[in-house]
């Protein structure tokens, strides 16, 4: 099964790299032309906010695509010392903006370890990784519930742990060993592509860490990410 997962991820990485490369050039055009448009607009133009949104969103997409390409080509190219709590806070903010009112019934709790050591990694990649796990957790709480994000530091192994726990619908036992494979999804066909967790797995692997899932149908899920401290 490990070999099968490894082969799937190799094909997935190649596919992901090809798609990212194809999207890169058109996105550069969107970024450049939105900047030109902004320069030509008057300060009080009522449509300036729309142009600024296009510019901001396209730049964010370009950063993500650049990070994906670097992740495949050379995972360590963009690594630096980063604060996990800062990345987690940023990921939570994006998730809250994305889900809006649907989070009203979800209780989100954070337990940060104040003595957490920085890690050596890529902030953009890890943000996408955390966001994918948060998205899955929130979608597993259609009727509300609780979501907890906790950080720990293991003095013996010098590892940082990030633990995502939800009280959602859980994952059936027969799917638990397949969730990190590309194109495997428990959601209705057409709504999701089943790439979020496989991308998260690849990012954690590139950072020299590992990801582990525990779950039971109807009793929620816990995803634990372990990363080496800097």
């Amino acid at each position: 099964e490990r070999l099968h997962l490894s082969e799937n991820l190799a094909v997935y990485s190649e596919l992901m790299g090809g798609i990212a490369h194809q999207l890169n050039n058109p996105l550069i055009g969107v970024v450049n032309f939105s900047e030109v448009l902004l320069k030509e607009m008057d300060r009080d133009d009522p449509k300036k906010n729309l142009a600024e949104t296009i510019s901001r969103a396209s730049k964010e997409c370009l950063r993500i695509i650049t990070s994906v390409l670097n992740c495949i080509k050379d995972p360590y190219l963009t690594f630096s010392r980063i604060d996990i709590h800062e990345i987690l806070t940023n990921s939570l903010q994006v998730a809250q903006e994305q889900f809006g009112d649907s989070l009203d019934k979800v209780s989100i709790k954070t337990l940060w370890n104040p003595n957490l050591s920085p890690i050596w990694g890529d902030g953009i990649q890890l943000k996408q990784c955390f966001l994918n796990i948060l998205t899955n957790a929130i979608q597993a709480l259609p009727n509300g519930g609780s979501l907890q994000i906790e950080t720990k530091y293991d003095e013996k192994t010098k590892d940082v742990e990030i633990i995502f726990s939800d009280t959602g619908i859980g994952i059936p036992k027969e799917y638990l060993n397949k969730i990190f494979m590309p194109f495997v999804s428990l959601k209705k066909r057409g709504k999701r592509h089943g790439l979020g967790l496989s991308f998260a797995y690849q990012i954690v692997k590139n950072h020299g860490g590992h990801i582990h899932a525990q779950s039971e149908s109807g009793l929620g899920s816990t995803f634990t990410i372990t990363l080496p401290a800097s």
Side-chain angles (χ1 to χ4, degrees):
E1 292 221 346
R2 283 173 182 265
L3 179 62
H4 182 55
L5 176 59
S6 182
E7 287 171 350
N8 268 276
L9 286 170
V11 173
Y12 169 50
S13 293
E14 218 172 298
L15 174 66
M16 193 167 60
I19 293 170
H21 183 72
Q22 292 298 318
L23 287 173
N24 196 54
N25 290 340
L27 261 176
I28 290 171
V30 177
V31 170
N32 290 341
F33 283 118
S34 63
E35 289 296 312
V36 171
L37 191 62
L38 279 168
K39 286 177 183 177
E40 292 181 354
M41 280 181 156
D42 295 331
R43 187 175 293 180
D44 56 349
D45 193 313
K47 294 180 180 177
K48 193 168 185 181
N49 282 341
L50 293 174
E52 285 173 344
T53 302
I54 292 168
S55 176
R56 197 164 49 246
S58 57
K59 283 177 182 175
E60 178 66 15
C61 288
L62 202 56
R63 277 194 294 272
I64 292 169
I65 283 177
T66 302
S67 178
V68 167
L69 287 169
N70 288 335
C71 171
I72 295 164
K73 185 173 65 177
D74 184 355
Y76 307 105
L77 191 65
T78 53
F79 278 23
S80 61
R81 277 167 66 89
I82 55 173
D83 181 350
I84 279 292
H85 291 153
E86 187 180 328
I87 305 297
L88 281 168
T89 301
N90 199 287
S91 303
L92 264 173
Q93 286 172 348
V94 173
Q96 285 166 338
E97 288 171 10
Q98 182 180 325
F99 286 94
D101 295 340
S102 60
L103 281 179
D104 289 347
K105 294 179 182 178
V106 178
S107 169
I108 299 175
K109 185 179 180 181
T110 57
L111 296 172
W112 295 161
N113 183 330
N115 302 315
L116 204 67
S117 173
I119 75 150
W120 187 252
D122 183 312
I124 294 175
Q125 289 179 30
L126 286 172
K127 177 184 169 184
Q128 290 303 122
C129 170
F130 298 154
L131 195 53
N132 287 343
I133 293 171
L134 284 169
T135 298
N136 273 27
I138 293 167
Q139 288 173 344
L141 296 162
N143 301 314
S146 63
L147 168 60
Q148 180 175 290
I149 304 106
E150 184 179 3
T151 57
K152 292 181 179 180
Y153 181 63
D154 191 320
E155 289 286 351
K156 289 182 181 179
T157 61
K158 306 297 180 188
D159 285 334
V160 169
E161 284 187 355
I162 307 106
I163 304 155
F164 300 84
S165 304
D166 67 69
T167 59
I169 57 177
I171 302 164
K173 190 177 179 180
E174 63 269 24
Y175 280 98
L176 201 53
N177 63 343
K178 301 174 183 175
I179 56 171
F180 297 115
M181 291 182 180
F183 310 110
V184 171
S185 177
L186 302 182
K187 302 176 186 77
K188 288 182 181 178
R189 192 177 293 276
K191 288 194 172 184
R192 295 285 162 191
H193 303 295
L195 296 175
L197 288 179
S198 62
F199 189 37
Y201 177 95
Q202 189 69 52
I203 290 169
V204 171
K205 186 181 171 186
N206 286 347
H207 281 75
H210 55 268
I211 182 170
H212 177 67
Q214 288 178 295
S215 186
E216 199 172 327
S217 286
L219 297 176
S221 305
T222 298
F223 283 79
T224 303
I225 293 174
T226 305
L227 297 168
S230 174

